[in-house]
Amino acid sequence: MDSMEEHNGAGDVLAGVGPRLRALRQARNATLAALADETGLTASTLSRLENGKLRPTLEQLLPLARAHGVPLDDLVAAPPTGDPRVHLRPVRRHGLVMVPLTRRAGGIQAYKVIYPPVDRAPTLKLQVHDGYEWFYVLNGIVRFVLGEQEFQLGEGEAAEFDTRVPHWIGSADSRPAELLALFGPQGERAHLEPSGN
């Protein structure tokens, strides 16, 4: 393959980056301004990347892949390697450790969530957001507050609820609690927005 063909191949790969970036951002219902805050890139740069007016660099793609929770390969449409494994990259937010178990944009997402022991948990602050959530207790005991009710769930128990009802989930004792959690884009934003927002 001569250098011109190699250059065209790279151009073809990079040409699809803009539409993929736009689709990932829209699947999360994120604005350019919100994504700029997450990545440190300007809204203008993000717009030019999405419109294909700016050729992306690795320094731009890495924070975008991190913000969207996808491997870099997904942004540049790298040829499939035949490896179906999901590479787990834990995210720490609000005192929790969240390990993404799925890697597609939009729709229902699966996470392993580790809640710290009760003495290291953030203060009880009920959350409300659109959507539905489901969780299954893998290890530990979970304290689950839903509206005016409070429950304790042990290993092997599950709960499903409307997240428009004020809710809080945490460990109920001195051990961490590990859950398998499923939630949609609204729940993902509520749990993964940067601390302090």
Side-chain angles (χ1 to χ4, degrees):
M1 181 183 288
D2 66 28
S3 61
M4 185 63 168
E5 287 173 334
E6 286 175 18
H7 176 73
N8 286 344
D12 290 345
V13 167
L14 293 177
V17 171
R20 279 188 288 282
L21 288 173
R22 183 180 296 109
L24 285 166
R25 179 177 60 79
Q26 290 174 342
R28 295 173 55 217
N29 289 326
T31 64
L32 286 171
L35 188 56
D37 288 343
E38 268 186 278
T39 61
L41 301 170
T42 66
S44 171
T45 296
L46 293 169
S47 177
R48 290 171 50 221
L49 286 169
E50 287 186 5
N51 292 326
K53 294 178 180 170
L54 180 64
R55 185 182 174 108
T57 66
L58 187 59
E59 290 78 18
Q60 294 163 332
L61 292 175
L62 285 173
L64 285 165
R66 202 173 304 119
H68 292 310
V70 298
L72 187 60
D73 289 356
D74 286 6
L75 296 183
V76 296
T81 61
D83 184 352
R85 294 175 294 181
V86 176
H87 300 283
L88 308 177
R89 293 182 180 92
V91 176
R92 295 182 188 278
R93 288 286 189 270
H94 312 296
L96 311 179
V97 176
M98 300 186 69
V99 183
L101 302 176
T102 52
R103 61 180 178 191
R104 60 187 166 78
I108 301 296
Q109 301 293 333
Y111 285 86
K112 178 179 179 182
V113 185
I114 304 168
Y115 290 88
V118 70
D119 61 336
R120 285 189 276 158
T123 56
L124 192 148
K125 181 181 175 192
L126 299 181
Q127 282 192 321
V128 177
H129 53 87
D130 287 334
Y132 252 80
E133 288 187 23
W134 174 92
F135 68 84
Y136 174 87
V137 182
L138 296 168
N139 288 301
I141 300 171
V142 171
R143 178 181 176 202
F144 175 41
V145 178
L146 184 64
E148 300 293 318
Q149 299 179 293
E150 186 170 325
F151 307 91
Q152 281 203 356
L153 289 86
E155 295 172 11
E157 291 188 282
E160 180 180 10
F161 60 101
D162 183 335
T163 56
R164 292 173 296 182
V165 176
H167 59 280
W168 183 88
I169 303 167
S171 175
D173 64 18
S174 61
R175 298 173 298 157
E178 297 182 13
L179 282 67
L180 173 63
L182 301 178
F183 38 79
Q186 302 97 336
E188 189 173 28
R189 279 195 306 279
H191 292 285
L192 290 175
E193 68 183 7
S195 296
N197 285 359

